[in-house]
Amino acid sequence: IIMKKLYLILLLISVLGFSQEKNKIEKMGLYSTTTINLGLDLVQMIADKGKSDYELQNSPPGKFNYGITSILGYHLFNRLSLGTGLRYSFVDSNYHLVYLLAQSKIYLDDPEEEDPLFLNINYGKQINRTAINNATVIGLEIGKMEVLNNRFGHQFSINLDAQIFEQGTLFVGFSYGITIFSNKYYR
């Protein structure tokens, strides 16, 4: 009996959550985005010029950064989406950081535009233990999303991430992501 009620509740949620009206095209509804990102710590690379080998060995980690982010969110208004997810970031051989991430996505173009420009504001707190604990990431990302078919799109962006641990780093990089959304009449 409990299982039948659970199935009925899940059926109602899926019917109500994924039912579509053809004339509503402004919002994606529920969406999931997975991105891969690469970045360089340009500030540290500039500061490292002219240092001795000893100074370079004792400098903070993070000349190069790569990672993956997975976000689950909801497109609330025409120009605003909110989401949360996980981010893995490799900074150095002992710095494998996993963040719990909150993201707000602001659409900069008119909601009727074909491929919208967006601005992501990210904030994350480290949830794993590694050579460093209690790290934070704050990021700003600007990019363009291209809708490819009914429930699928991809995005390209340039990002600026401040990862704050021992001394902190500032990464400038780019990312590529794939988005799947529930509203098949979006765009």
Side-chain angles (χ1 to χ4, degrees):
I1 293 177
I2 294 173
M3 289 302 288
K4 287 182 182 180
K5 288 181 182 180
L6 182 62
Y7 286 132
L8 182 61
I9 290 170
L10 289 174
L11 179 66
L12 285 173
I13 290 172
S14 65
V15 168
L16 294 175
F18 289 96
S19 63
Q20 308 291 315
E21 291 182 31
K22 284 190 175 186
N23 56 1
K24 288 194 173 186
I25 59 169
E26 296 88 20
K27 295 187 257 182
M28 287 186 282
L30 188 65
Y31 68 91
S32 173
T33 301
T34 301
T35 60
I36 55 172
N37 46 355
L38 294 168
L40 294 172
D41 187 356
L42 296 180
V43 175
Q44 184 176 341
M45 289 176 68
I46 292 169
D48 284 349
K49 288 186 178 182
K51 286 187 176 180
S52 69
D53 288 341
Y54 176 77
E55 289 173 322
L56 288 174
Q57 287 176 348
N58 292 320
S59 63
K63 291 181 181 153
F64 180 72
N65 175 2
Y66 65 86
I68 186 166
T69 304
S70 186
I71 297 287
L72 180 63
Y74 189 74
H75 194 166
L76 295 171
F77 306 109
N78 288 347
R79 294 190 183 257
L80 178 68
S81 296
L82 297 176
T84 187
L86 295 175
R87 175 180 180 163
Y88 166 76
S89 187
F90 174 85
V91 179
D92 197 52
S93 59
N94 290 327
Y95 289 72
H96 298 271
L97 304 170
V98 178
Y99 296 103
L100 180 60
L101 197 68
Q103 181 183 81
S104 60
K105 181 178 285 212
I106 301 165
Y107 299 93
L108 303 174
D109 284 339
D110 183 10
E112 299 296 324
E113 283 291 319
E114 183 75 21
D115 299 325
L117 282 172
F118 63 86
L119 176 71
N120 284 344
I121 301 168
N122 300 317
Y123 176 79
K125 200 75 172 142
Q126 181 184 0
I127 58 174
N128 69 328
R129 292 191 168 273
T130 169
I132 190 72
N133 294 319
N134 206 18
T136 303
V137 63
I138 300 169
L140 193 61
E141 183 177 354
I142 188 164
K144 188 167 190 86
M145 183 175 142
E146 183 180 17
V147 178
L148 298 175
N149 64 23
N150 288 353
R151 292 194 173 152
F152 179 75
H154 64 154
Q155 64 187 33
F156 303 91
S157 60
I158 297 171
N159 50 18
L160 182 65
D161 288 329
Q163 294 196 34
I164 303 162
F165 34 91
E166 292 170 353
Q167 296 174 350
T169 58
L170 186 62
F171 291 103
V172 176
F174 65 92
S175 63
Y176 172 77
I178 296 173
T179 302
I180 300 170
F181 43 88
S182 65
N183 188 350
K184 70 180 180 178
Y185 297 111
Y186 178 66
R187 304 277 177 230

